[in-house]
Amino acid sequence: MILLGDMSRTDENLAQGSPSGSRAPWLRTAEGANLLGADGHLGVTIFEEITTLAVRTGAINLGQGFPDEDGPDLMREAARDAISAGANQYAPGKGIPALREAISDHQRRFYGLTPDPETEIIVTTGATEALAAALLALTGPGDEVLTFEPFYDSYGAVIALSGATHVTAPLLAPEFQPDLAALEAAFSDRTRVILVNNPHNPMGSVFTREALTRIVELANRHDAIIITDEVYEHLTFGVAHIPVATLPGASERTLTISSAGKTFSLTGWKIGWMSGPAELVAAARTVKQFLSYSSGTPFQAAVAAGLALDGSFYEDLANTLQRKRDILSEGLRAAGMDVFTPQGTYFINVDAAPLGVTDATALARRLPELVGVAAIPVPVFCHPEGAERTKSLLRFAFCKRVDVLEEAASRIATLKDRL
């Protein structure tokens, strides 16, 4: 973390919040996202810090998870056509009809789900807004939100902003599947939401049917809502993605979230969506309309065209990513690290302990200078106990061109000698 210096007196007053002493929302958000040091100083995200180091040193940045190749020509041309045709004003708050219908058809084609485009689907400014709208709509002080740990940093931020308590259950090496006993122990009668990220970022695991079924059973026992983040649904390698909403006892209590960014390599378009029971979607939409209201009108039409692509597109996407995964894996193994081969997403994790490294965060800050490659330390995705458990783990992104990954693998292979 890069510290921004002492907080001013004004900042200190803001941090105190109301006269009753409650913490200001921005401060809760920063704390939930692990942006506060032990002394309370405010820092930047680890992504910004590592990217800055990569730029300064000219390193290959495998820290942030965004592709370096554009998405399908068909979709980019559709966006240009929509702009030329005048689709440049506000879209309906719940999304243009063509995209909501395409989302419904996609869910039917791949999973047998049939959400109503009128009442059970909304389009959002990326999956991030969908998650924020759902959590802010459904949770608050006195509630608990349960996630797996490590967890994507925005989860902690929004849970804290909502005023709910963030509870975690661990994903343990080497498979990074849910620890079912720990999961059951983490549930309580205060559990309002369990947030399931599957396929999982940062760990690259794809949860088994057994694990997902147990999640649904426990959610029913404790009358909890299930929110699923499935943005990597088509990025799996040799295993099938199982949407939670397809499991018995899940559909009536599950909000499913996904987006175009990861599937189509168009992360800058920020087009996401949410589907589920009409009453839960309506609750989230009530909050969402006062966040962005709507966004990306011409991009929505283009995403509708993309979702209609046939199954071969999705198969080729996964096969290409699997090849990229394997290229980077070779370099990581050659460096002497333990490699946890991911079943999904475009992230691969390693344990640097065999190199005598006990602090992955310190190593991440040295990597750009040492070997010209940047990565993210896994402990930043954890609360203190989880950070200790994952203290020697690093995450690399392999959603880059093959030539870039080959060069990165070659550089990483020299790490053992450079250390």
Side-chain angles (χ1 to χ4, degrees):
M1 180 184 297
I2 298 174
L3 299 182
L4 302 184
D6 292 337
M7 297 169 67
S8 67
R9 183 174 299 276
T10 301
D11 289 335
E12 290 173 352
N13 290 339
L14 282 170
Q16 293 303 313
S18 67
S20 65
S22 63
R23 295 165 71 77
W26 74 267
L27 191 60
R28 296 200 309 269
T29 302
E31 187 173 33
N34 293 333
L35 292 182
L36 293 184
D39 57 2
H41 288 180
L42 180 63
V44 299
T45 68
I46 190 66
F47 303 101
E48 183 175 347
E49 180 182 354
I50 295 301
T51 295
T52 299
L53 288 171
V55 170
R56 193 182 75 207
T57 60
I60 297 172
N61 189 355
L62 303 185
Q64 267 190 297
F66 59 84
D68 60 1
E69 297 176 285
D70 285 332
D73 291 342
L74 173 147
M75 295 179 68
R76 289 183 284 130
E77 188 62 33
R80 287 189 285 267
D81 289 346
I83 291 169
S84 297
N88 302 303
Q89 308 307 324
Y90 293 127
K94 60 185 178 181
I96 66 171
L99 179 52
R100 285 183 277 117
E101 290 164 6
I103 292 165
S104 180
D105 186 61
H106 170 274
Q107 296 297 84
R108 179 192 57 77
R109 278 202 297 151
F110 286 96
Y111 311 123
L113 297 169
T114 56
D116 183 341
E118 286 300 313
T119 61
E120 297 181 328
I121 295 174
I122 56 171
V123 177
T124 58
T125 306
T128 303
E129 185 191 43
L131 287 161
L135 288 168
L136 292 174
L138 300 171
T139 68
D143 293 329
E144 292 178 352
V145 178
L146 174 57
T147 75
F148 293 101
E149 186 180 52
F151 53 85
Y152 184 55
D153 60 350
S154 76
Y155 298 172
V158 178
I159 293 166
L161 181 61
S162 77
T165 299
H166 188 181
V167 178
T168 63
L171 301 177
L172 302 178
E175 292 86 7
F176 298 109
Q177 290 289 327
D179 179 328
L180 297 183
L183 174 65
E184 182 172 1
F187 266 92
S188 78
D189 290 339
R190 294 175 59 197
T191 304
R192 175 64 171 156
V193 164
I194 176 167
L195 172 51
V196 182
N197 178 203
N198 179 49
H200 188 271
N201 175 19
M203 303 321 297
S205 49
V206 177
F207 294 171
T208 64
R209 182 177 294 274
E210 177 191 9
L212 295 173
T213 298
R214 188 61 176 147
I215 289 168
V216 174
E217 291 171 351
L218 290 167
N220 274 282
R221 179 190 300 176
H222 294 278
D223 195 24
I225 296 166
I226 305 168
I227 299 175
T228 68
D229 177 351
E230 302 183 16
V231 297
Y232 299 98
E233 60 185 311
H234 291 293
L235 311 187
T236 64
F237 317 120
V239 294
H241 168 64
I242 303 170
V244 170
T246 64
L247 298 175
S251 62
E252 63 270 20
R253 63 176 64 249
T254 301
L255 282 171
T256 302
I257 293 169
S258 192
S259 78
K262 305 302 189 297
T263 298
F264 299 112
S265 297
L266 296 165
T267 59
W269 286 15
K270 296 297 291 181
I271 300 297
W273 51 84
M274 179 191 313
S275 60
E279 62 274 16
L280 294 181
V281 169
R285 186 176 68 242
T286 301
V287 172
K288 178 260 186 301
Q289 67 185 336
F290 297 109
L291 296 176
S292 67
Y293 178 64
S294 72
S295 59
T297 304
F299 298 140
Q300 290 190 32
V303 171
L307 286 172
L309 289 168
D310 64 32
S312 63
F313 167 81
Y314 298 94
E315 292 172 9
D316 290 345
L317 172 67
N319 290 336
T320 299
L321 271 174
Q322 183 169 341
R323 180 189 172 209
K324 293 180 176 183
R325 177 199 70 180
D326 294 343
I327 290 170
L328 184 58
S329 295
E330 289 179 11
L332 294 167
R333 289 194 182 93
M337 294 183 282
D338 287 339
V339 177
F340 303 109
T341 302
Q343 294 182 306
T345 77
Y346 43 51
F347 301 108
I348 188 167
N349 291 271
V350 300
D351 190 347
L355 299 177
V357 173
T358 59
D359 186 345
T361 303
L363 178 59
R365 290 180 170 127
R366 296 179 61 202
L367 272 180
E369 190 73 48
L370 276 174
V371 297
V373 177
I376 298 293
V378 174
V380 303
F381 299 105
C382 301
H383 290 152
E385 183 178 344
E388 179 65 22
R389 187 173 57 248
T390 61
K391 63 183 179 180
S392 59
L393 304 188
L394 286 166
R395 188 198 77 172
F396 294 81
F398 54 89
C399 50
K400 310 297 180 182
R401 299 192 316 271
V402 167
D403 62 304
V404 172
L405 292 170
E406 289 174 340
E407 176 61 23
S410 177
R411 294 182 185 186
I412 291 167
T414 68
L415 178 60
K416 187 191 313 184
D417 295 334
R418 295 180 184 275
L419 281 175

